[in-house]
Amino acid sequence: MALLKASFLQMSKRFLLQCGACWKPGSKLSVHTSPKMPPCDFTPEKCEYQPYDNILKIRKQNFSPLMSTYFQKPLLLHQGYMQWLFDHEGRRYLDLFSGILTISVGHCHPKVTAAAQKQLGLLWHTSPVFLHPAVHEYAEKLIALFPEPLKVIFFTNSGSEANDMAMLMARSHSQNVDIISFRGAYHGTSPYTFGLTNVGAYKPRIDRGSSCQTTMCPDVFRGPWGGSQCRDSLVQTNRKCDCTPGCCKAKNQYIEEFKTTLHTVVAKEIAGFFAEPIQGVNGVVQYPKEFLKEAYQLVKERGGVYISDEVQTGFGRLGTHFWGFQSHGVLPDIVTMAKGIGNGFPMSAVVTTPEIASSFTKKVNHFNTFAGNPMGGVIGSAVLDAIKEDGLQENSHETGSYMLLKLAKLRDEFEIVGDVRGKGLMIGIEMVQDQDSRKPLPLKEMNLIHEDCKDMGIIIGRGGLFTQTFRVAPPMCITKQEADFAVEVFHSALRRHMEKRAKGNL
């Protein structure tokens, strides 16, 4: 009888541990229940693909080995609806990464889907040598969202291609070659844009875009300077700051570093300066207020142009403005965009001034087969309509601010949460070994937290030079109720992780 009782107790402990329980000898069993997922009024179709193992085999044998996946057991996704994703077994997940900030208005948004389906039955493709109303009407609608003199558009297919073209524009217009970008910047992985991208994991061991120079990223959390009044965000760093209102000493220090770059590694005249309004791949890094405005003035004095990479920050995601550059009070010479422009449809664009467009086309005979694509015009137009009609920029501001402030509270509770930052629905949670040292949390621990969040029903992104930052950028239709669920899941994952840490189980 005693043996049966002991066996039952051991089985109970094992069961509770598998269900999220935390038990240690001499203490009462405490069960961690997973947060309750909000309801969803969508039922996915039954998955009738090949078996999971067959898909995985194809992936390993026939795909590029560089195409890595999230999670120990990669997710096989089957269907999506607005902010929700469903895997091949019907499990539901709240998508907090939007296919790497690509789903802007929601997976299979009804308005966008209906517009695409209608056009599919009419005409898929022409090319720029023909006219089609959908492309021209979309161009007019998109250009209306830009201030003067940004009024000429070039359609392309991806963010890398858009940035490639912007580099050519800058060089042809200025007749100079040197282009500056931040350390930690990601602007694509084409042969040309490899020179702009400064994240070590993406740097090839072969020749890449030449005459591209790096400058220090003005990161007020991880950089040498920064404090509690530096960035344009509802949440500031916990670093001490002796700045006064209207005078950011960190910004001044980073501007001095930028001047050093101009004096040492580039020619007296340069082609341009590339910058994301907020760095995406590097972990939602924000610069000191007024930095971009002053940096651009320095670039202008050297004959260069400013290119704003809006691939991740554009189309209302930051909430306060439709384009990220507007939040910095600066007017770029060239703007590139992709990802959210088509809500998952592969398209991109470059917008510039008539003057730059003219000097570019005099030197470069550029042609793009898909630039006159009716499908792109219809889908891009439907995305703009959805953003406006559904109030998604406003929701990004309201729900994003709500979520950001709730996530920021985690710094007070967990020593491994070093920084929470962002604007609208573009949020970064930087994880550290401890808040004093700010050393990145080891990859093994990041992976464990990441897996735990997935198991409880949220898909969250990763970023940072050391993969130490969780990236939160859901479709812009997410609700406050769903934001609450996401924060609860992340809180639960951190609590479980700290308990494992305390027991030495990592």
Side-chain angles (χ1 to χ4, degrees), residues 256-337:
E256 289 303 313
E257 285 296 316
F258 193 79
K259 289 179 180 178
T260 298
T261 299
L262 291 172
H263 289 310
T264 57
V265 297
V266 294
K268 291 182 178 180
E269 293 185 326
I270 65 174
F273 168 50
F274 253 90
E276 303 163 88
I278 296 176
Q279 283 190 338
V281 171
N282 196 20
V284 194
V285 172
Q286 292 177 279
Y287 324 125
K289 288 174 283 190
E290 302 294 317
F291 175 89
L292 281 184
K293 184 183 290 187
E294 290 194 27
Y296 173 44
Q297 186 58 42
L298 293 170
V299 169
K300 193 173 181 180
E301 291 170 3
R302 293 291 189 105
V305 299
Y306 166 47
I307 303 100
S308 183
D309 181 337
E310 298 279 350
V311 170
Q312 297 190 36
T313 55
F315 296 92
R317 178 164 288 280
L318 301 188
T320 56
H321 300 83
F322 200 83
W323 304 111
F325 67 80
Q326 293 170 315
S327 66
H328 291 275
V330 62
L331 180 62
D333 302 288
I334 303 171
V335 180
T336 62
M337 65 208 74

Coordinates of all heavy atoms in Angstrom, one line a residue, residues 256-337:
E256 N 29.0 63.8 -32.4 CA 30.5 63.9 -32.5 C 31.1 62.7 -33.1 O 32.1 62.8 -33.9 CB 31.1 64.2 -31.1 CG 30.8 65.6 -30.5 CD 31.3 66.7 -31.5 OE1 32.4 66.6 -31.9 OE2 30.5 67.6 -31.7
E257 N 30.6 61.5 -32.7 CA 31.1 60.3 -33.4 C 30.8 60.3 -34.9 O 31.6 59.8 -35.7 CB 30.5 59.0 -32.7 CG 31.0 58.7 -31.3 CD 32.5 58.3 -31.4 OE1 32.9 57.5 -32.3 OE2 33.3 58.8 -30.6
F258 N 29.6 60.8 -35.2 CA 29.2 60.8 -36.6 C 30.2 61.8 -37.4 O 30.6 61.5 -38.5 CB 27.8 61.3 -36.7 CG 27.2 61.1 -38.1 CD1 26.7 59.9 -38.5 CD2 27.1 62.2 -39.0 CE1 26.2 59.7 -39.8 CE2 26.5 62.0 -40.2 CZ 26.1 60.8 -40.6
K259 N 30.5 62.9 -36.7 CA 31.5 63.8 -37.4 C 32.8 63.2 -37.5 O 33.5 63.4 -38.6 CB 31.6 65.1 -36.5 CG 30.4 66.0 -36.5 CD 30.6 67.2 -35.6 CE 29.4 68.1 -35.5 NZ 29.6 69.2 -34.6
T260 N 33.2 62.3 -36.6 CA 34.5 61.6 -36.7 C 34.5 60.7 -37.9 O 35.5 60.6 -38.6 CB 34.8 60.8 -35.4 OG1 34.9 61.7 -34.3 CG2 36.0 60.0 -35.5
T261 N 33.4 60.0 -38.1 CA 33.2 59.2 -39.3 C 33.4 60.0 -40.6 O 34.1 59.6 -41.5 CB 31.8 58.5 -39.3 OG1 31.7 57.7 -38.2 CG2 31.7 57.6 -40.6
L262 N 32.8 61.2 -40.6 CA 32.9 62.0 -41.8 C 34.3 62.5 -42.0 O 34.7 62.8 -43.2 CB 31.9 63.2 -41.6 CG 30.4 62.9 -41.7 CD1 29.6 64.1 -41.3 CD2 30.0 62.4 -43.1
H263 N 35.0 62.7 -41.0 CA 36.4 63.2 -41.1 C 37.5 62.2 -41.3 O 38.6 62.5 -41.7 CB 36.8 64.0 -39.8 CG 36.0 65.3 -39.6 ND1 36.0 66.2 -40.6 CD2 35.3 65.8 -38.5 CE1 35.2 67.3 -40.1 NE2 34.9 67.0 -38.9
T264 N 37.1 60.9 -41.1 CA 38.2 59.9 -41.2 C 38.0 58.8 -42.2 O 39.0 58.3 -42.8 CB 38.3 59.2 -39.8 OG1 37.0 58.6 -39.4 CG2 38.7 60.2 -38.7
V265 N 36.8 58.3 -42.5 CA 36.6 57.1 -43.3 C 35.9 57.3 -44.7 O 35.7 56.4 -45.4 CB 35.9 56.0 -42.6 CG1 36.7 55.5 -41.4 CG2 34.5 56.4 -42.1
V266 N 35.5 58.5 -44.9 CA 34.8 58.8 -46.2 C 35.5 60.0 -46.9 O 36.3 60.7 -46.3 CB 33.3 59.1 -46.0 CG1 32.6 57.9 -45.5 CG2 33.1 60.3 -45.1
A267 N 35.2 60.2 -48.2 CA 35.8 61.3 -48.9 C 35.1 62.6 -48.4 O 34.2 62.6 -47.7 CB 35.5 61.1 -50.4
K268 N 35.7 63.7 -48.9 CA 35.2 65.0 -48.5 C 33.7 65.2 -48.9 O 33.0 66.0 -48.3 CB 36.1 66.1 -49.1 CG 37.5 66.2 -48.4 CD 38.3 67.3 -49.0 CE 39.6 67.4 -48.3 NZ 40.5 68.5 -48.8
E269 N 33.4 64.6 -50.0 CA 32.0 64.6 -50.5 C 31.5 63.2 -50.5 O 32.2 62.3 -51.0 CB 31.9 65.3 -51.9 CG 32.2 66.7 -51.8 CD 32.0 67.4 -53.2 OE1 32.2 66.8 -54.2 OE2 31.6 68.6 -53.2
I270 N 30.2 63.0 -50.1 CA 29.7 61.6 -50.0 C 28.4 61.5 -50.8 O 27.8 62.5 -51.2 CB 29.4 61.2 -48.6 CG1 28.3 62.1 -47.9 CG2 30.7 61.3 -47.8 CD1 27.9 61.6 -46.5
A271 N 28.0 60.3 -51.1 CA 26.7 60.0 -51.8 C 25.5 60.1 -50.9 O 24.5 60.6 -51.3 CB 26.8 58.7 -52.5
G272 N 25.6 59.5 -49.7 CA 24.4 59.5 -48.9 C 24.6 58.8 -47.6 O 25.6 58.3 -47.2
F273 N 23.5 58.8 -46.8 CA 23.4 58.2 -45.5 C 22.1 57.4 -45.4 O 21.0 58.0 -45.7 CB 23.4 59.4 -44.5 CG 23.0 59.0 -43.1 CD1 23.6 57.9 -42.4 CD2 22.1 59.8 -42.3 CE1 23.3 57.6 -41.1 CE2 21.7 59.4 -41.0 CZ 22.3 58.3 -40.4
F274 N 22.2 56.2 -45.1 CA 21.0 55.3 -45.0 C 20.7 55.1 -43.5 O 21.6 54.8 -42.7 CB 21.4 53.9 -45.5 CG 20.8 53.5 -46.8 CD1 21.4 53.8 -48.0 CD2 19.5 52.9 -46.9 CE1 20.8 53.5 -49.2 CE2 19.0 52.5 -48.1 CZ 19.6 52.8 -49.3
A275 N 19.4 55.2 -43.1 CA 19.0 54.9 -41.8 C 17.6 54.5 -41.7 O 16.7 55.0 -42.4 CB 19.3 56.1 -40.9
E276 N 17.3 53.4 -40.9 CA 15.9 53.1 -40.5 C 15.5 54.1 -39.4 O 16.3 54.4 -38.5 CB 15.8 51.7 -40.0 CG 16.3 50.6 -40.9 CD 16.6 49.3 -40.1 OE1 15.6 48.5 -40.0 OE2 17.7 49.2 -39.7
P277 N 14.3 54.6 -39.4 CA 13.8 55.5 -38.3 C 13.9 54.8 -36.9 O 14.2 55.4 -35.9 CB 12.4 55.8 -38.7 CG 12.3 55.7 -40.2 CD 13.3 54.5 -40.5
I278 N 13.7 53.5 -36.9 CA 14.0 52.7 -35.7 C 14.6 51.4 -36.3 O 14.0 50.8 -37.2 CB 12.7 52.3 -34.9 CG1 12.1 53.6 -34.3 CG2 13.0 51.3 -33.8 CD1 10.7 53.3 -33.6
Q279 N 15.7 51.0 -35.8 CA 16.3 49.7 -36.3 C 15.5 48.5 -36.0 O 15.0 48.3 -34.8 CB 17.7 49.5 -35.7 CG 18.7 50.4 -36.4 CD 20.2 50.1 -36.0 OE1 20.4 49.4 -34.9 NE2 21.1 50.5 -36.8
G280 N 15.2 47.7 -37.0 CA 14.3 46.5 -36.8 C 15.1 45.3 -36.4 O 15.0 44.8 -35.3
V281 N 15.9 44.7 -37.3 CA 16.6 43.5 -37.0 C 17.6 43.6 -35.8 O 17.7 42.6 -35.1 CB 17.5 43.1 -38.3 CG1 18.4 41.9 -38.0 CG2 16.5 42.7 -39.4
N282 N 18.1 44.8 -35.6 CA 19.0 45.0 -34.4 C 18.2 45.0 -33.1 O 18.8 45.3 -32.1 CB 19.8 46.2 -34.6 CG 21.0 46.3 -33.7 OD1 21.4 45.2 -33.1 ND2 21.6 47.5 -33.4
G283 N 16.9 44.9 -33.1 CA 16.2 44.8 -31.9 C 15.4 46.0 -31.5 O 15.3 46.4 -30.3
V284 N 14.8 46.7 -32.4 CA 14.0 47.9 -32.2 C 14.8 49.0 -31.4 O 14.5 49.4 -30.4 CB 12.7 47.5 -31.4 CG1 11.7 48.7 -31.4 CG2 12.0 46.3 -32.0
V285 N 15.9 49.3 -32.0 CA 16.8 50.3 -31.4 C 16.4 51.7 -31.8 O 16.2 52.0 -33.0 CB 18.3 50.1 -31.9 CG1 19.2 51.2 -31.4 CG2 18.8 48.8 -31.3
Q286 N 16.2 52.6 -30.8 CA 15.8 54.0 -31.1 C 17.0 54.9 -30.8 O 17.8 54.7 -29.8 CB 14.6 54.3 -30.2 CG 13.3 53.6 -30.5 CD 12.2 53.9 -29.6 OE1 12.1 53.3 -28.5 NE2 11.4 54.8 -29.9
Y287 N 17.0 56.0 -31.5 CA 18.1 56.9 -31.4 C 17.7 58.1 -30.5 O 16.5 58.3 -30.3 CB 18.5 57.5 -32.8 CG 18.4 56.5 -33.9 CD1 17.7 56.7 -35.0 CD2 19.1 55.3 -33.8 CE1 17.6 55.8 -36.1 CE2 19.0 54.3 -34.9 CZ 18.3 54.6 -36.0 OH 18.2 53.7 -37.0
P288 N 18.7 58.9 -30.1 CA 18.3 60.1 -29.3 C 17.5 61.0 -30.2 O 17.7 61.1 -31.4 CB 19.6 60.7 -28.9 CG 20.6 59.6 -29.1 CD 20.1 58.7 -30.1
K289 N 16.6 61.7 -29.5 CA 15.8 62.7 -30.2 C 16.7 63.8 -30.9 O 17.7 64.2 -30.3 CB 14.8 63.4 -29.2 CG 13.7 62.5 -28.8 CD 12.8 63.2 -27.7 CE 13.5 63.1 -26.3 NZ 12.6 63.5 -25.2
E290 N 16.3 64.2 -32.1 CA 17.0 65.2 -32.9 C 18.3 64.7 -33.6 O 18.9 65.4 -34.4 CB 17.3 66.4 -32.1 CG 16.1 67.1 -31.5 CD 15.2 67.7 -32.5 OE1 15.7 68.3 -33.4 OE2 14.0 67.5 -32.3
F291 N 18.7 63.4 -33.3 CA 19.9 62.9 -33.9 C 19.8 62.9 -35.4 O 20.7 63.4 -36.1 CB 20.3 61.5 -33.3 CG 21.5 60.9 -34.0 CD1 22.8 61.2 -33.5 CD2 21.4 60.2 -35.2 CE1 23.9 60.7 -34.1 CE2 22.5 59.7 -35.8 CZ 23.8 59.9 -35.3
L292 N 18.8 62.2 -35.9 CA 18.7 62.1 -37.4 C 18.7 63.4 -38.1 O 19.3 63.6 -39.2 CB 17.5 61.3 -37.8 CG 17.6 59.7 -37.6 CD1 16.4 59.1 -38.1 CD2 18.9 59.2 -38.4
K293 N 18.0 64.4 -37.5 CA 17.9 65.7 -38.1 C 19.3 66.4 -38.2 O 19.7 66.9 -39.3 CB 17.0 66.6 -37.3 CG 16.7 68.0 -37.9 CD 15.9 68.9 -37.0 CE 14.5 68.4 -37.0 NZ 13.6 69.3 -36.2
E294 N 20.1 66.3 -37.1 CA 21.4 66.9 -37.2 C 22.4 66.1 -38.1 O 23.2 66.7 -38.8 CB 22.0 67.0 -35.8 CG 21.3 68.0 -34.9 CD 22.1 68.3 -33.6 OE1 23.3 68.1 -33.6 OE2 21.4 68.7 -32.6
A295 N 22.2 64.8 -38.1 CA 23.1 63.9 -38.9 C 22.8 64.2 -40.4 O 23.8 64.3 -41.2 CB 22.9 62.5 -38.6
Y296 N 21.6 64.4 -40.7 CA 21.2 64.7 -42.1 C 21.8 66.0 -42.6 O 22.3 66.2 -43.7 CB 19.7 64.7 -42.3 CG 19.3 65.1 -43.7 CD1 20.0 64.7 -44.9 CD2 18.2 66.0 -43.9 CE1 19.6 65.1 -46.1 CE2 17.9 66.4 -45.1 CZ 18.5 66.0 -46.3 OH 18.2 66.4 -47.5
Q297 N 21.8 67.0 -41.7 CA 22.4 68.3 -42.1 C 23.9 68.2 -42.3 O 24.4 68.8 -43.3 CB 22.1 69.3 -40.9 CG 22.5 70.7 -41.2 CD 21.8 71.3 -42.5 OE1 20.6 71.1 -42.6 NE2 22.6 72.0 -43.3
L298 N 24.5 67.4 -41.6 CA 26.0 67.1 -41.8 C 26.2 66.4 -43.1 O 27.2 66.7 -43.9 CB 26.6 66.3 -40.7 CG 26.6 67.0 -39.3 CD1 27.0 66.0 -38.2 CD2 27.6 68.1 -39.3
V299 N 25.3 65.5 -43.4 CA 25.4 64.7 -44.7 C 25.2 65.7 -45.9 O 25.9 65.7 -46.9 CB 24.4 63.6 -44.7 CG1 24.3 63.0 -46.1 CG2 24.8 62.5 -43.7
K300 N 24.2 66.5 -45.7 CA 23.8 67.5 -46.8 C 25.0 68.4 -47.1 O 25.3 68.8 -48.2 CB 22.6 68.3 -46.3 CG 22.0 69.1 -47.4 CD 20.7 69.7 -46.9 CE 20.0 70.6 -48.0 NZ 18.7 71.2 -47.5
E301 N 25.7 68.8 -46.0 CA 26.9 69.7 -46.2 C 28.0 69.0 -47.0 O 28.8 69.7 -47.6 CB 27.4 70.2 -44.8 CG 26.4 71.1 -44.1 CD 26.9 71.3 -42.6 OE1 27.9 70.8 -42.2 OE2 26.1 72.0 -41.9
R302 N 28.0 67.7 -47.0 CA 29.0 66.9 -47.7 C 28.5 66.5 -49.1 O 29.1 65.7 -49.8 CB 29.4 65.7 -46.9 CG 30.1 65.9 -45.6 CD 31.5 66.5 -45.9 NE 32.3 66.5 -44.7 CZ 33.3 65.7 -44.4 NH1 33.6 64.7 -45.3 NH2 34.0 65.8 -43.3
G303 N 27.3 67.1 -49.5 CA 26.8 66.8 -50.9 C 26.0 65.5 -50.9 O 25.6 65.1 -52.0
G304 N 25.7 64.9 -49.8 CA 25.0 63.6 -49.8 C 23.5 63.7 -49.6 O 23.0 64.8 -49.3
V305 N 22.8 62.6 -49.8 CA 21.3 62.6 -49.6 C 21.0 61.7 -48.4 O 21.8 60.8 -48.1 CB 20.6 62.1 -50.9 CG1 20.9 63.1 -52.0 CG2 21.0 60.7 -51.2
Y306 N 19.8 61.8 -47.9 CA 19.4 61.0 -46.8 C 18.3 60.0 -47.3 O 17.3 60.4 -47.9 CB 18.8 61.8 -45.6 CG 18.1 61.0 -44.6 CD1 18.5 59.8 -44.1 CD2 16.8 61.5 -44.1 CE1 17.8 59.1 -43.1 CE2 16.1 60.8 -43.2 CZ 16.6 59.6 -42.7 OH 15.9 58.9 -41.7
I307 N 18.6 58.7 -47.1 CA 17.6 57.7 -47.5 C 17.0 57.1 -46.2 O 17.7 56.6 -45.3 CB 18.3 56.6 -48.3 CG1 19.0 57.1 -49.5 CG2 17.3 55.5 -48.7 CD1 20.5 57.3 -49.3
S308 N 15.7 57.2 -46.1 CA 15.0 56.6 -45.0 C 14.4 55.2 -45.4 O 13.6 55.1 -46.3 CB 13.8 57.5 -44.6 OG 13.1 57.0 -43.4
D309 N 14.9 54.2 -44.7 CA 14.5 52.8 -45.0 C 13.2 52.6 -44.1 O 13.3 52.3 -42.9 CB 15.6 51.9 -44.6 CG 15.3 50.4 -44.9 OD1 14.1 50.1 -44.9 OD2 16.2 49.6 -45.0
E310 N 12.1 52.6 -44.8 CA 10.8 52.4 -44.1 C 10.2 51.0 -44.3 O 9.0 50.8 -44.1 CB 9.8 53.5 -44.6 CG 10.2 54.9 -44.4 CD 9.8 55.4 -43.0 OE1 9.2 54.7 -42.2 OE2 10.3 56.5 -42.7
V311 N 11.1 50.1 -44.6 CA 10.6 48.7 -44.8 C 9.9 48.1 -43.6 O 8.8 47.5 -43.8 CB 11.8 47.8 -45.2 CG1 11.4 46.3 -45.3 CG2 12.3 48.2 -46.6
Q312 N 10.3 48.4 -42.4 CA 9.7 47.9 -41.2 C 8.9 49.0 -40.5 O 8.0 48.6 -39.7 CB 10.7 47.3 -40.3 CG 11.4 46.1 -40.9 CD 12.2 45.3 -39.9 OE1 11.9 45.1 -38.8 NE2 13.3 44.7 -40.4
T313 N 9.2 50.2 -40.6 CA 8.5 51.3 -39.8 C 7.4 52.0 -40.5 O 6.7 52.8 -39.9 CB 9.6 52.3 -39.4 OG1 10.2 52.8 -40.6 CG2 10.7 51.7 -38.5
G314 N 7.2 51.8 -41.8 CA 6.2 52.5 -42.5 C 4.8 52.0 -42.4 O 4.5 51.0 -41.7
F315 N 3.8 52.7 -43.0 CA 2.4 52.3 -43.1 C 1.7 52.3 -41.8 O 0.9 51.5 -41.5 CB 2.3 51.0 -43.9 CG 2.8 51.0 -45.3 CD1 4.1 50.7 -45.6 CD2 1.9 51.5 -46.3 CE1 4.6 50.8 -46.9 CE2 2.4 51.6 -47.6 CZ 3.7 51.3 -47.9
G316 N 2.1 53.3 -41.0 CA 1.3 53.5 -39.7 C 1.7 52.7 -38.5 O 1.1 52.8 -37.5
R317 N 2.7 51.8 -38.7 CA 3.0 50.9 -37.6 C 3.5 51.6 -36.3 O 3.2 51.1 -35.2 CB 4.1 49.9 -38.1 CG 4.5 48.9 -36.9 CD 5.3 47.7 -37.5 NE 4.4 46.8 -38.2 CZ 3.6 45.9 -37.6 NH1 3.6 45.8 -36.3 NH2 2.9 45.1 -38.3
L318 N 4.1 52.8 -36.5 CA 4.6 53.5 -35.3 C 3.5 54.3 -34.6 O 3.7 54.9 -33.6 CB 5.8 54.4 -35.7 CG 7.0 53.7 -36.3 CD1 8.2 54.6 -36.4 CD2 7.4 52.5 -35.5
G319 N 2.3 54.4 -35.2 CA 1.2 55.0 -34.6 C 1.1 56.5 -34.7 O 0.1 57.0 -35.2
T320 N 2.1 57.2 -34.3 CA 1.9 58.7 -34.3 C 2.0 59.3 -35.7 O 1.5 60.3 -35.9 CB 3.1 59.3 -33.4 OG1 4.3 58.8 -33.9 CG2 2.9 58.9 -31.9
H321 N 2.7 58.6 -36.6 CA 2.9 59.0 -37.9 C 2.8 57.9 -38.9 O 3.0 56.7 -38.5 CB 4.2 59.7 -38.1 CG 4.5 60.9 -37.2 ND1 4.9 60.8 -35.9 CD2 4.3 62.2 -37.5 CE1 5.0 62.0 -35.4 NE2 4.6 62.9 -36.3
F322 N 2.4 58.2 -40.2 CA 2.3 57.1 -41.2 C 3.7 56.6 -41.6 O 3.9 55.5 -41.9 CB 1.6 57.7 -42.4 CG 1.0 56.6 -43.3 CD1 -0.2 56.0 -43.0 CD2 1.7 56.1 -44.4 CE1 -0.7 55.0 -43.7 CE2 1.2 55.1 -45.2 CZ 0.0 54.5 -44.9
W323 N 4.7 57.5 -41.6 CA 6.1 57.2 -42.0 C 7.0 57.5 -40.8 O 6.8 58.5 -40.1 CB 6.6 58.0 -43.2 CG 5.7 57.8 -44.4 CD1 4.9 58.8 -44.9 CD2 5.5 56.6 -45.2 NE1 4.2 58.3 -46.0 CE2 4.6 57.0 -46.2 CE3 6.0 55.4 -45.1 CZ2 4.2 56.0 -47.1 CZ3 5.6 54.4 -46.1 CH2 4.7 54.8 -47.1
G324 N 7.9 56.6 -40.5 CA 8.8 56.8 -39.4 C 9.6 58.0 -39.4 O 9.9 58.6 -38.4
F325 N 10.0 58.5 -40.6 CA 10.9 59.7 -40.7 C 10.2 60.9 -40.1 O 10.8 61.9 -39.6 CB 11.4 60.0 -42.1 CG 10.3 60.3 -43.1 CD1 9.8 61.6 -43.2 CD2 9.9 59.4 -44.0 CE1 8.9 62.0 -44.1 CE2 8.9 59.7 -45.0 CZ 8.4 61.0 -45.0
Q326 N 8.8 60.9 -40.2 CA 8.0 62.1 -39.7 C 8.2 62.2 -38.2 O 8.1 63.4 -37.7 CB 6.6 61.9 -40.1 CG 6.3 61.9 -41.6 CD 4.9 61.5 -42.0 OE1 4.4 60.5 -41.5 NE2 4.2 62.3 -42.8
S327 N 8.4 61.2 -37.5 CA 8.6 61.3 -36.0 C 9.9 61.9 -35.7 O 10.1 62.3 -34.5 CB 8.4 59.9 -35.4 OG 9.5 59.0 -35.8
H328 N 10.8 62.0 -36.6 CA 12.1 62.6 -36.4 C 12.2 64.1 -36.8 O 13.2 64.7 -36.7 CB 13.2 61.8 -37.0 CG 13.5 60.5 -36.4 ND1 14.3 60.3 -35.3 CD2 13.0 59.2 -36.7 CE1 14.3 59.0 -35.0 NE2 13.5 58.3 -35.8
G329 N 11.1 64.5 -37.5 CA 11.1 65.9 -37.9 C 12.1 66.2 -39.0 O 12.6 67.3 -39.2
V330 N 12.3 65.2 -39.9 CA 13.3 65.3 -41.0 C 12.6 64.9 -42.3 O 11.7 64.1 -42.3 CB 14.5 64.4 -40.7 CG1 14.2 63.0 -40.7 CG2 15.6 64.7 -41.8
L331 N 13.0 65.5 -43.4 CA 12.4 65.2 -44.7 C 13.5 64.5 -45.5 O 14.5 65.2 -45.9 CB 12.0 66.5 -45.4 CG 11.4 66.3 -46.8 CD1 10.1 65.4 -46.7 CD2 11.0 67.6 -47.4
P332 N 13.4 63.2 -45.8 CA 14.4 62.5 -46.5 C 14.4 62.9 -48.0 O 13.4 63.5 -48.5 CB 14.1 61.1 -46.3 CG 12.7 61.0 -45.9 CD 12.4 62.3 -45.3
D333 N 15.4 62.5 -48.7 CA 15.5 62.7 -50.2 C 15.0 61.5 -50.9 O 14.5 61.6 -52.0 CB 16.9 63.0 -50.6 CG 17.5 64.2 -49.9 OD1 17.1 65.3 -50.2 OD2 18.4 64.0 -49.0
I334 N 15.1 60.3 -50.3 CA 14.7 59.1 -50.9 C 14.0 58.2 -49.8 O 14.6 58.2 -48.6 CB 15.8 58.3 -51.5 CG1 16.6 59.2 -52.6 CG2 15.4 57.0 -52.1 CD1 17.9 58.5 -53.1
V335 N 12.9 57.6 -50.1 CA 12.3 56.7 -49.1 C 12.1 55.3 -49.7 O 11.6 55.2 -50.9 CB 10.9 57.2 -48.7 CG1 10.3 56.3 -47.7 CG2 11.1 58.6 -48.1
T336 N 12.5 54.3 -49.0 CA 12.3 52.9 -49.5 C 11.2 52.2 -48.6 O 11.2 52.5 -47.4 CB 13.6 52.1 -49.5 OG1 14.1 52.0 -48.2 CG2 14.6 52.8 -50.4
M337 N 10.5 51.3 -49.2 CA 9.4 50.6 -48.5 C 9.2 49.2 -49.1 O 9.4 49.0 -50.2 CB 8.1 51.4 -48.5 CG 7.5 51.6 -49.8 SD 6.5 53.1 -50.0 CE 7.8 54.3 -50.1

